[in-house]
Amino acid sequence: MANTRTVTVINGDGIGPEVMAATIRVLEALKAPLEFEYKDAGTEVIAKYGTNLPHETVEAVLRSGVALKGPTGTVVGGGMASANVGLRKRLDLYSSLRPVKSVPGVKTRYENVDLVVVRENTESLYAGLEHIIVPGVVESLKIITEKASTRIARFAFEYAKKNGRKKVTSVHKANIMKLSDGLFLDCTRKVGREYPEIHYEEVIIDNMCMQLVKDPTRYDVLVMENLYGDIISDLCAGLVGGLGLVPGANIGERTAMFEAVHGTAPDIAGKGLANPTALMMSAVMMLDWMDLKDEARKFENALAKVHGEGKARTGDLSGSATTREFTDAVIAAL
């Protein structure tokens, strides 16, 4: 096939291989000019490689420039560092992009939600710089730099400009962390002045949580540091029906990784019950990023049709469809 692009595929753990297989089926049905190169990462490959992030996986993504990734597990309170965090650091995927939009046919407490969470991906408390000072006392360092803050602010404003968005909200805790979050705000303000056509505002993180729950339609593009972004993006997913319905992308200067942001759901792994919507929507974002707009719109419209009709719904949406039945419906809707 002419101009075929290689996509590095990382199945991940738990339900990862199932939702990935479903998503690849749709991409193949679309006849998208892609070929798939499979590589490993996650807790289930540690026994094979001695690590949850093999060097050859990172090298493959650097070669292809784009990865499609299923969920990977992380041990809580011990064990190896997260494979997700490792990929973001080693590929310098500095921006986490999480569009959150109401899904047709999925009833929640809110209607017409359409906002975007832009999260700085490389520093803040997620730098993982922790040490024991004396037994019983642990120090964790929050790193904020002008370079990373300016870069993520520019990404947010550029995204807003390219996608016809009207407002960027910087989320912070500079009333308490005056130096670190203060630096972040200084950087977003400076960048904001270069985009006079886009309204800029600042909201303190705890107030932001309350305002989102009261009325999420007030917001458009939200930009913030790493930890705040992790929390806010999951909160926003809850507004539209949960993590199973929200896509995710991690974007750098030269590479991008598109992934489902939900967990590995080991309780239903291998049973054919998983909802592949989040990974499928991430694949739509990937197609857009690769400038395959026609394929992206066909995939997106097919998903909207299936959700809108409500005939093929997986268990998490109170339906009885299997992963395969849902995928068959999406392919039929193409």
Side-chain angles (χ1 to χ4, degrees):
M1 197 186 295
N3 300 319
T4 299
R5 287 279 304 273
T6 299
V7 174
T8 304
V9 176
I10 302 169
N11 280 329
D13 301 318
I15 59 171
E18 296 163 73
V19 295
M20 184 63 75
T23 303
I24 298 292
R25 277 187 64 207
V26 182
L27 289 170
E28 289 175 341
L30 274 169
K31 295 184 167 54
L34 305 173
E35 58 183 40
F36 305 105
E37 175 189 34
Y38 288 81
K39 293 296 175 184
D40 293 326
T43 54
E44 290 172 21
V45 303
I46 293 173
K48 181 178 176 183
Y49 296 98
T51 176
N52 59 7
L53 182 56
H55 178 69
E56 63 187 67
T57 301
V58 177
E59 289 296 310
V61 183
L62 286 170
R63 276 197 309 275
S64 68
V66 60
L68 185 63
K69 179 183 163 297
T72 49
T74 304
V75 178
V76 176
M80 292 180 181
S82 159
N84 276 339
V85 174
L87 278 162
R88 291 167 195 162
K89 281 185 176 178
R90 288 168 69 177
L91 299 170
D92 195 27
L93 303 175
Y94 68 90
S95 175
S96 169
L97 183 65
R98 295 269 287 272
V100 178
K101 196 171 182 179
S102 295
V103 178
V106 178
K107 181 111 181 78
T108 68
R109 291 178 175 85
Y110 305 93
E111 293 176 355
N112 305 314
V113 177
D114 183 8
L115 50 84
V116 179
V117 180
V118 177
R119 162 190 171 193
E120 204 290 317
N121 234 355
T122 63
E123 55 180 29
S124 182
L125 286 163
Y126 279 38
L129 299 173
E130 297 184 309
H131 56 269
I132 297 168
I133 299 174
V134 294
V137 181
V138 173
E139 185 173 60
S140 186
L141 301 178
K142 174 171 175 166
I143 307 298
I144 301 294
T145 65
E146 182 179 8
K147 179 188 172 185
S149 300
T150 301
R151 188 165 66 163
I152 198 65
R154 191 167 303 287
F155 183 96
F157 279 97
E158 278 294 316
Y159 181 91
K161 182 180 175 181
K162 285 178 187 166
N163 292 277
R165 299 278 178 165
K166 301 289 187 270
K167 180 165 75 169
V168 171
T169 304
S170 184
V171 184
H172 67 94
K173 193 67 180 172
N175 56 325
I176 303 300
M177 284 168 273
K178 299 180 188 293
L179 291 178
S180 56
D181 285 26
L183 175 59
F184 185 83
L185 283 187
D186 283 344
C187 295
T188 53
R189 287 168 188 163
K190 281 177 189 169
V191 173
R193 287 197 282 271
E194 299 173 28
Y195 299 82
E197 72 279 16
I198 297 169
H199 178 66
Y200 172 69
E201 65 176 11
E202 298 165 359
V203 180
I204 294 171
I205 177 69
D206 38 332
N207 183 33
M208 187 81 239
C209 293
M210 181 184 71
Q211 298 299 340
L212 282 167
V213 171
K214 283 176 70 178
D215 182 12
T217 61
R218 288 178 54 190
Y219 298 99
D220 199 345
V221 176
L222 310 176
V223 62
M224 64 206 77
E225 298 162 19
N226 210 331
L227 175 62
Y228 306 152
D230 198 1
I231 296 165
I232 289 288
S233 54
D234 279 22
L235 186 154
C236 289
L239 304 174
V240 298
L243 290 170
L245 298 170
V246 175
N250 296 280
I251 298 172
E253 302 289 350
R254 295 181 302 279
T255 54
M257 180 173 71
F258 300 85
E259 63 177 334
V261 293
H262 54 66
T264 58
D267 54 321
I268 61 166
K271 297 179 181 177
L273 302 174
N275 183 354
T277 296
L279 190 59
M280 288 184 177
M281 290 172 77
S282 302
V284 171
M285 289 178 74
M286 179 184 77
L287 292 169
D288 271 324
W289 186 81
M290 299 175 86
D291 214 25
L292 298 170
K293 305 291 184 187
D294 289 347
E295 291 87 345
R297 295 293 74 75
K298 285 176 187 172
F299 200 158
E300 185 176 48
N301 292 337
L303 271 170
K305 185 179 181 190
V306 172
H307 280 297
E309 289 174 349
K311 292 174 188 169
R313 283 205 170 147
T314 46
D316 58 317
L317 297 177
S318 304
S320 59
T322 63
T323 309
R324 172 166 280 280
E325 287 165 348
F326 177 85
T327 308
D328 289 343
V330 174
I331 291 170
L334 291 175

